[in-house]
Amino acid sequence: MLASEPAQDSSVLTVSGLTKAIRGVLEDAFLDVTVEGEISNFVDHRSGHRYWTLKDSEAQISCVFWKTRFANFDIRDGMKVVCRGRLTVYPPRGNYQLDVFQLRPSGIGEL
């Protein structure tokens, strides 16, 4: 082997291999979570899906609400909400998000 050739190490993961492993751990561990926070960056996509960032004063998480799901109120930036859903990983970007299947208002956000 030439000095410029990388050593073959079976413990080295590909990016997609690592992302798949993370996806398996996260999605199995967080099948049903309830989270309260404030909506920001709300997008009502032309596809019918809705996307937003759920945040508090110290952290944020991306959320998706598929068009087949129904909210009995208008979703808006600045609303405080309680989201029930599951964590999912979007492999092409390596991002995790909350796949929301239930949503209810909880007041006006402080942020």
mmCIF file with all atom_site columns, all heavy atoms in Angstrom, residues 90-107:
data_model
loop_
_atom_site.group_PDB
_atom_site.id
_atom_site.type_symbol
_atom_site.label_atom_id
_atom_site.label_alt_id
_atom_site.label_comp_id
_atom_site.label_asym_id
_atom_site.label_entity_id
_atom_site.label_seq_id
_atom_site.pdbx_PDB_ins_code
_atom_site.Cartn_x
_atom_site.Cartn_y
_atom_site.Cartn_z
_atom_site.occupancy
_atom_site.B_iso_or_equiv
_atom_site.pdbx_formal_charge
_atom_site.auth_seq_id
_atom_site.auth_comp_id
_atom_site.auth_asym_id
_atom_site.auth_atom_id
_atom_site.pdbx_PDB_model_num
ATOM 1   N N   . TYR A 1 90  ? -34.741 13.148 8.268  1.00 0.00 ? 90  TYR A N   1
ATOM 2   C CA  . TYR A 1 90  ? -34.759 13.359 6.824  1.00 0.00 ? 90  TYR A CA  1
ATOM 3   C C   . TYR A 1 90  ? -33.326 13.158 6.326  1.00 0.00 ? 90  TYR A C   1
ATOM 4   O O   . TYR A 1 90  ? -32.489 14.066 6.406  1.00 0.00 ? 90  TYR A O   1
ATOM 5   C CB  . TYR A 1 90  ? -35.280 14.762 6.512  1.00 0.00 ? 90  TYR A CB  1
ATOM 6   C CG  . TYR A 1 90  ? -35.421 15.045 5.043  1.00 0.00 ? 90  TYR A CG  1
ATOM 7   C CD1 . TYR A 1 90  ? -36.290 14.313 4.247  1.00 0.00 ? 90  TYR A CD1 1
ATOM 8   C CD2 . TYR A 1 90  ? -34.674 16.054 4.444  1.00 0.00 ? 90  TYR A CD2 1
ATOM 9   C CE1 . TYR A 1 90  ? -36.412 14.578 2.894  1.00 0.00 ? 90  TYR A CE1 1
ATOM 10  C CE2 . TYR A 1 90  ? -34.786 16.326 3.090  1.00 0.00 ? 90  TYR A CE2 1
ATOM 11  C CZ  . TYR A 1 90  ? -35.662 15.577 2.330  1.00 0.00 ? 90  TYR A CZ  1
ATOM 12  O OH  . TYR A 1 90  ? -35.783 15.836 0.984  1.00 0.00 ? 90  TYR A OH  1
ATOM 13  N N   . PRO A 1 91  ? -33.012 11.950 5.825  1.00 0.00 ? 91  PRO A N   1
ATOM 14  C CA  . PRO A 1 91  ? -31.627 11.616 5.483  1.00 0.00 ? 91  PRO A CA  1
ATOM 15  C C   . PRO A 1 91  ? -30.920 12.544 4.488  1.00 0.00 ? 91  PRO A C   1
ATOM 16  O O   . PRO A 1 91  ? -29.734 12.832 4.674  1.00 0.00 ? 91  PRO A O   1
ATOM 17  C CB  . PRO A 1 91  ? -31.733 10.195 4.915  1.00 0.00 ? 91  PRO A CB  1
ATOM 18  C CG  . PRO A 1 91  ? -32.958 9.636  5.551  1.00 0.00 ? 91  PRO A CG  1
ATOM 19  C CD  . PRO A 1 91  ? -33.903 10.804 5.660  1.00 0.00 ? 91  PRO A CD  1
ATOM 20  N N   . PRO A 1 92  ? -31.582 13.051 3.436  1.00 0.00 ? 92  PRO A N   1
ATOM 21  C CA  . PRO A 1 92  ? -30.832 13.893 2.499  1.00 0.00 ? 92  PRO A CA  1
ATOM 22  C C   . PRO A 1 92  ? -30.182 15.112 3.145  1.00 0.00 ? 92  PRO A C   1
ATOM 23  O O   . PRO A 1 92  ? -29.173 15.611 2.654  1.00 0.00 ? 92  PRO A O   1
ATOM 24  C CB  . PRO A 1 92  ? -31.886 14.314 1.473  1.00 0.00 ? 92  PRO A CB  1
ATOM 25  C CG  . PRO A 1 92  ? -32.876 13.195 1.484  1.00 0.00 ? 92  PRO A CG  1
ATOM 26  C CD  . PRO A 1 92  ? -32.951 12.779 2.934  1.00 0.00 ? 92  PRO A CD  1
ATOM 27  N N   . ARG A 1 93  ? -30.750 15.609 4.237  1.00 0.00 ? 93  ARG A N   1
ATOM 28  C CA  . ARG A 1 93  ? -30.158 16.762 4.913  1.00 0.00 ? 93  ARG A CA  1
ATOM 29  C C   . ARG A 1 93  ? -29.574 16.398 6.275  1.00 0.00 ? 93  ARG A C   1
ATOM 30  O O   . ARG A 1 93  ? -28.967 17.243 6.917  1.00 0.00 ? 93  ARG A O   1
ATOM 31  C CB  . ARG A 1 93  ? -31.202 17.867 5.088  1.00 0.00 ? 93  ARG A CB  1
ATOM 32  C CG  . ARG A 1 93  ? -31.365 18.681 3.842  1.00 0.00 ? 93  ARG A CG  1
ATOM 33  C CD  . ARG A 1 93  ? -32.179 19.911 4.112  1.00 0.00 ? 93  ARG A CD  1
ATOM 34  N NE  . ARG A 1 93  ? -33.411 19.770 3.342  1.00 0.00 ? 93  ARG A NE  1
ATOM 35  C CZ  . ARG A 1 93  ? -34.584 20.179 3.710  1.00 0.00 ? 93  ARG A CZ  1
ATOM 36  N NH1 . ARG A 1 93  ? -34.744 20.782 4.848  1.00 0.00 ? 93  ARG A NH1 1
ATOM 37  N NH2 . ARG A 1 93  ? -35.624 19.996 2.945  1.00 0.00 ? 93  ARG A NH2 1
ATOM 38  N N   . GLY A 1 94  ? -29.835 15.198 6.743  1.00 0.00 ? 94  GLY A N   1
ATOM 39  C CA  . GLY A 1 94  ? -29.351 14.800 8.058  1.00 0.00 ? 94  GLY A CA  1
ATOM 40  C C   . GLY A 1 94  ? -30.047 15.534 9.189  1.00 0.00 ? 94  GLY A C   1
ATOM 41  O O   . GLY A 1 94  ? -29.501 15.675 10.270 1.00 0.00 ? 94  GLY A O   1
ATOM 42  N N   . ASN A 1 95  ? -31.272 16.014 8.935  1.00 0.00 ? 95  ASN A N   1
ATOM 43  C CA  . ASN A 1 95  ? -32.030 16.756 9.938  1.00 0.00 ? 95  ASN A CA  1
ATOM 44  C C   . ASN A 1 95  ? -33.059 15.867 10.606 1.00 0.00 ? 95  ASN A C   1
ATOM 45  O O   . ASN A 1 95  ? -33.629 14.982 9.964  1.00 0.00 ? 95  ASN A O   1
ATOM 46  C CB  . ASN A 1 95  ? -32.791 17.914 9.291  1.00 0.00 ? 95  ASN A CB  1
ATOM 47  C CG  . ASN A 1 95  ? -31.896 18.969 8.706  1.00 0.00 ? 95  ASN A CG  1
ATOM 48  O OD1 . ASN A 1 95  ? -30.707 19.015 8.990  1.00 0.00 ? 95  ASN A OD1 1
ATOM 49  N ND2 . ASN A 1 95  ? -32.462 19.818 7.882  1.00 0.00 ? 95  ASN A ND2 1
ATOM 50  N N   . TYR A 1 96  ? -33.311 16.150 11.865 1.00 0.00 ? 96  TYR A N   1
ATOM 51  C CA  . TYR A 1 96  ? -34.441 15.498 12.515 1.00 0.00 ? 96  TYR A CA  1
ATOM 52  C C   . TYR A 1 96  ? -35.567 16.515 12.635 1.00 0.00 ? 96  TYR A C   1
ATOM 53  O O   . TYR A 1 96  ? -35.337 17.725 12.619 1.00 0.00 ? 96  TYR A O   1
ATOM 54  C CB  . TYR A 1 96  ? -34.055 14.889 13.862 1.00 0.00 ? 96  TYR A CB  1
ATOM 55  C CG  . TYR A 1 96  ? -33.728 15.851 14.966 1.00 0.00 ? 96  TYR A CG  1
ATOM 56  C CD1 . TYR A 1 96  ? -34.722 16.263 15.858 1.00 0.00 ? 96  TYR A CD1 1
ATOM 57  C CD2 . TYR A 1 96  ? -32.447 16.332 15.152 1.00 0.00 ? 96  TYR A CD2 1
ATOM 58  C CE1 . TYR A 1 96  ? -34.424 17.137 16.891 1.00 0.00 ? 96  TYR A CE1 1
ATOM 59  C CE2 . TYR A 1 96  ? -32.141 17.194 16.176 1.00 0.00 ? 96  TYR A CE2 1
ATOM 60  C CZ  . TYR A 1 96  ? -33.137 17.608 17.045 1.00 0.00 ? 96  TYR A CZ  1
ATOM 61  O OH  . TYR A 1 96  ? -32.858 18.467 18.061 1.00 0.00 ? 96  TYR A OH  1
ATOM 62  N N   . GLN A 1 97  ? -36.787 16.016 12.698 1.00 0.00 ? 97  GLN A N   1
ATOM 63  C CA  . GLN A 1 97  ? -37.955 16.891 12.770 1.00 0.00 ? 97  GLN A CA  1
ATOM 64  C C   . GLN A 1 97  ? -39.062 16.190 13.534 1.00 0.00 ? 97  GLN A C   1
ATOM 65  O O   . GLN A 1 97  ? -39.034 14.968 13.702 1.00 0.00 ? 97  GLN A O   1
ATOM 66  C CB  . GLN A 1 97  ? -38.438 17.269 11.372 1.00 0.00 ? 97  GLN A CB  1
ATOM 67  C CG  . GLN A 1 97  ? -38.940 16.097 10.552 1.00 0.00 ? 97  GLN A CG  1
ATOM 68  C CD  . GLN A 1 97  ? -39.264 16.483 9.120  1.00 0.00 ? 97  GLN A CD  1
ATOM 69  O OE1 . GLN A 1 97  ? -39.041 17.595 8.687  1.00 0.00 ? 97  GLN A OE1 1
ATOM 70  N NE2 . GLN A 1 97  ? -39.794 15.545 8.369  1.00 0.00 ? 97  GLN A NE2 1
ATOM 71  N N   . LEU A 1 98  ? -40.034 16.983 13.968 1.00 0.00 ? 98  LEU A N   1
ATOM 72  C CA  . LEU A 1 98  ? -41.196 16.436 14.628 1.00 0.00 ? 98  LEU A CA  1
ATOM 73  C C   . LEU A 1 98  ? -42.302 16.287 13.593 1.00 0.00 ? 98  LEU A C   1
ATOM 74  O O   . LEU A 1 98  ? -42.720 17.270 12.983 1.00 0.00 ? 98  LEU A O   1
ATOM 75  C CB  . LEU A 1 98  ? -41.647 17.351 15.772 1.00 0.00 ? 98  LEU A CB  1
ATOM 76  C CG  . LEU A 1 98  ? -42.797 16.851 16.633 1.00 0.00 ? 98  LEU A CG  1
ATOM 77  C CD1 . LEU A 1 98  ? -42.421 15.551 17.356 1.00 0.00 ? 98  LEU A CD1 1
ATOM 78  C CD2 . LEU A 1 98  ? -43.202 17.913 17.640 1.00 0.00 ? 98  LEU A CD2 1
ATOM 79  N N   . ASP A 1 99  ? -42.712 15.061 13.355 1.00 0.00 ? 99  ASP A N   1
ATOM 80  C CA  . ASP A 1 99  ? -43.831 14.749 12.457 1.00 0.00 ? 99  ASP A CA  1
ATOM 81  C C   . ASP A 1 99  ? -45.086 14.847 13.315 1.00 0.00 ? 99  ASP A C   1
ATOM 82  O O   . ASP A 1 99  ? -45.397 13.946 14.084 1.00 0.00 ? 99  ASP A O   1
ATOM 83  C CB  . ASP A 1 99  ? -43.629 13.343 11.894 1.00 0.00 ? 99  ASP A CB  1
ATOM 84  C CG  . ASP A 1 99  ? -44.751 12.885 10.993 1.00 0.00 ? 99  ASP A CG  1
ATOM 85  O OD1 . ASP A 1 99  ? -45.718 13.642 10.773 1.00 0.00 ? 99  ASP A OD1 1
ATOM 86  O OD2 . ASP A 1 99  ? -44.675 11.741 10.513 1.00 0.00 ? 99  ASP A OD2 1
ATOM 87  N N   . VAL A 1 100 ? -45.785 15.975 13.214 1.00 0.00 ? 100 VAL A N   1
ATOM 88  C CA  . VAL A 1 100 ? -46.918 16.284 14.090 1.00 0.00 ? 100 VAL A CA  1
ATOM 89  C C   . VAL A 1 100 ? -48.175 15.599 13.588 1.00 0.00 ? 100 VAL A C   1
ATOM 90  O O   . VAL A 1 100 ? -48.530 15.721 12.417 1.00 0.00 ? 100 VAL A O   1
ATOM 91  C CB  . VAL A 1 100 ? -47.133 17.815 14.168 1.00 0.00 ? 100 VAL A CB  1
ATOM 92  C CG1 . VAL A 1 100 ? -48.345 18.161 15.020 1.00 0.00 ? 100 VAL A CG1 1
ATOM 93  C CG2 . VAL A 1 100 ? -45.880 18.503 14.684 1.00 0.00 ? 100 VAL A CG2 1
ATOM 94  N N   . PHE A 1 101 ? -48.846 14.862 14.482 1.00 0.00 ? 101 PHE A N   1
ATOM 95  C CA  . PHE A 1 101 ? -50.126 14.283 14.091 1.00 0.00 ? 101 PHE A CA  1
ATOM 96  C C   . PHE A 1 101 ? -51.281 14.815 14.921 1.00 0.00 ? 101 PHE A C   1
ATOM 97  O O   . PHE A 1 101 ? -52.434 14.522 14.620 1.00 0.00 ? 101 PHE A O   1
ATOM 98  C CB  . PHE A 1 101 ? -50.104 12.747 14.068 1.00 0.00 ? 101 PHE A CB  1
ATOM 99  C CG  . PHE A 1 101 ? -49.477 12.062 15.243 1.00 0.00 ? 101 PHE A CG  1
ATOM 100 C CD1 . PHE A 1 101 ? -50.152 11.899 16.437 1.00 0.00 ? 101 PHE A CD1 1
ATOM 101 C CD2 . PHE A 1 101 ? -48.189 11.542 15.143 1.00 0.00 ? 101 PHE A CD2 1
ATOM 102 C CE1 . PHE A 1 101 ? -49.592 11.245 17.496 1.00 0.00 ? 101 PHE A CE1 1
ATOM 103 C CE2 . PHE A 1 101 ? -47.614 10.891 16.219 1.00 0.00 ? 101 PHE A CE2 1
ATOM 104 C CZ  . PHE A 1 101 ? -48.304 10.734 17.408 1.00 0.00 ? 101 PHE A CZ  1
ATOM 105 N N   . GLN A 1 102 ? -51.000 15.643 15.906 1.00 0.00 ? 102 GLN A N   1
ATOM 106 C CA  . GLN A 1 102 ? -52.058 16.280 16.687 1.00 0.00 ? 102 GLN A CA  1
ATOM 107 C C   . GLN A 1 102 ? -51.556 17.640 17.136 1.00 0.00 ? 102 GLN A C   1
ATOM 108 O O   . GLN A 1 102 ? -50.395 17.765 17.577 1.00 0.00 ? 102 GLN A O   1
ATOM 109 C CB  . GLN A 1 102 ? -52.393 15.404 17.886 1.00 0.00 ? 102 GLN A CB  1
ATOM 110 C CG  . GLN A 1 102 ? -53.720 15.643 18.507 1.00 0.00 ? 102 GLN A CG  1
ATOM 111 C CD  . GLN A 1 102 ? -53.991 14.553 19.543 1.00 0.00 ? 102 GLN A CD  1
ATOM 112 O OE1 . GLN A 1 102 ? -53.182 14.340 20.440 1.00 0.00 ? 102 GLN A OE1 1
ATOM 113 N NE2 . GLN A 1 102 ? -55.104 13.874 19.401 1.00 0.00 ? 102 GLN A NE2 1
ATOM 114 N N   . LEU A 1 103 ? -52.396 18.660 17.032 1.00 0.00 ? 103 LEU A N   1
ATOM 115 C CA  . LEU A 1 103 ? -51.982 20.019 17.321 1.00 0.00 ? 103 LEU A CA  1
ATOM 116 C C   . LEU A 1 103 ? -53.108 20.747 18.020 1.00 0.00 ? 103 LEU A C   1
ATOM 117 O O   . LEU A 1 103 ? -54.264 20.658 17.594 1.00 0.00 ? 103 LEU A O   1
ATOM 118 C CB  . LEU A 1 103 ? -51.635 20.718 15.990 1.00 0.00 ? 103 LEU A CB  1
ATOM 119 C CG  . LEU A 1 103 ? -51.152 22.138 16.018 1.00 0.00 ? 103 LEU A CG  1
ATOM 120 C CD1 . LEU A 1 103 ? -49.786 22.232 16.685 1.00 0.00 ? 103 LEU A CD1 1
ATOM 121 C CD2 . LEU A 1 103 ? -51.064 22.694 14.605 1.00 0.00 ? 103 LEU A CD2 1
ATOM 122 N N   . ARG A 1 104 ? -52.771 21.465 19.114 1.00 0.00 ? 104 ARG A N   1
ATOM 123 C CA  . ARG A 1 104 ? -53.781 22.271 19.787 1.00 0.00 ? 104 ARG A CA  1
ATOM 124 C C   . ARG A 1 104 ? -53.145 23.572 20.282 1.00 0.00 ? 104 ARG A C   1
ATOM 125 O O   . ARG A 1 104 ? -51.984 23.591 20.665 1.00 0.00 ? 104 ARG A O   1
ATOM 126 C CB  . ARG A 1 104 ? -54.459 21.518 20.906 1.00 0.00 ? 104 ARG A CB  1
ATOM 127 C CG  . ARG A 1 104 ? -53.610 21.167 22.082 1.00 0.00 ? 104 ARG A CG  1
ATOM 128 C CD  . ARG A 1 104 ? -54.451 20.451 23.167 1.00 0.00 ? 104 ARG A CD  1
ATOM 129 N NE  . ARG A 1 104 ? -53.626 19.813 24.141 1.00 0.00 ? 104 ARG A NE  1
ATOM 130 C CZ  . ARG A 1 104 ? -53.089 20.403 25.203 1.00 0.00 ? 104 ARG A CZ  1
ATOM 131 N NH1 . ARG A 1 104 ? -53.309 21.673 25.416 1.00 0.00 ? 104 ARG A NH1 1
ATOM 132 N NH2 . ARG A 1 104 ? -52.343 19.732 26.060 1.00 0.00 ? 104 ARG A NH2 1
ATOM 133 N N   . PRO A 1 105 ? -53.942 24.660 20.248 1.00 0.00 ? 105 PRO A N   1
ATOM 134 C CA  . PRO A 1 105 ? -53.410 25.928 20.730 1.00 0.00 ? 105 PRO A CA  1
ATOM 135 C C   . PRO A 1 105 ? -53.215 25.890 22.247 1.00 0.00 ? 105 PRO A C   1
ATOM 136 O O   . PRO A 1 105 ? -53.924 25.190 22.959 1.00 0.00 ? 105 PRO A O   1
ATOM 137 C CB  . PRO A 1 105 ? -54.474 26.946 20.334 1.00 0.00 ? 105 PRO A CB  1
ATOM 138 C CG  . PRO A 1 105 ? -55.703 26.161 20.072 1.00 0.00 ? 105 PRO A CG  1
ATOM 139 C CD  . PRO A 1 105 ? -55.286 24.767 19.752 1.00 0.00 ? 105 PRO A CD  1
ATOM 140 N N   . SER A 1 106 ? -52.237 26.674 22.714 1.00 0.00 ? 106 SER A N   1
ATOM 141 C CA  . SER A 1 106 ? -51.931 26.712 24.145 1.00 0.00 ? 106 SER A CA  1
ATOM 142 C C   . SER A 1 106 ? -51.782 28.146 24.633 1.00 0.00 ? 106 SER A C   1
ATOM 143 O O   . SER A 1 106 ? -51.356 28.379 25.747 1.00 0.00 ? 106 SER A O   1
ATOM 144 C CB  . SER A 1 106 ? -50.646 25.921 24.392 1.00 0.00 ? 106 SER A CB  1
ATOM 145 O OG  . SER A 1 106 ? -50.274 25.941 25.733 1.00 0.00 ? 106 SER A OG  1
ATOM 146 N N   . GLY A 1 107 ? -52.069 29.114 23.785 1.00 0.00 ? 107 GLY A N   1
ATOM 147 C CA  . GLY A 1 107 ? -51.972 30.516 24.192 1.00 0.00 ? 107 GLY A CA  1
ATOM 148 C C   . GLY A 1 107 ? -51.137 31.324 23.234 1.00 0.00 ? 107 GLY A C   1
ATOM 149 O O   . GLY A 1 107 ? -50.855 30.917 22.113 1.00 0.00 ? 107 GLY A O   1
#
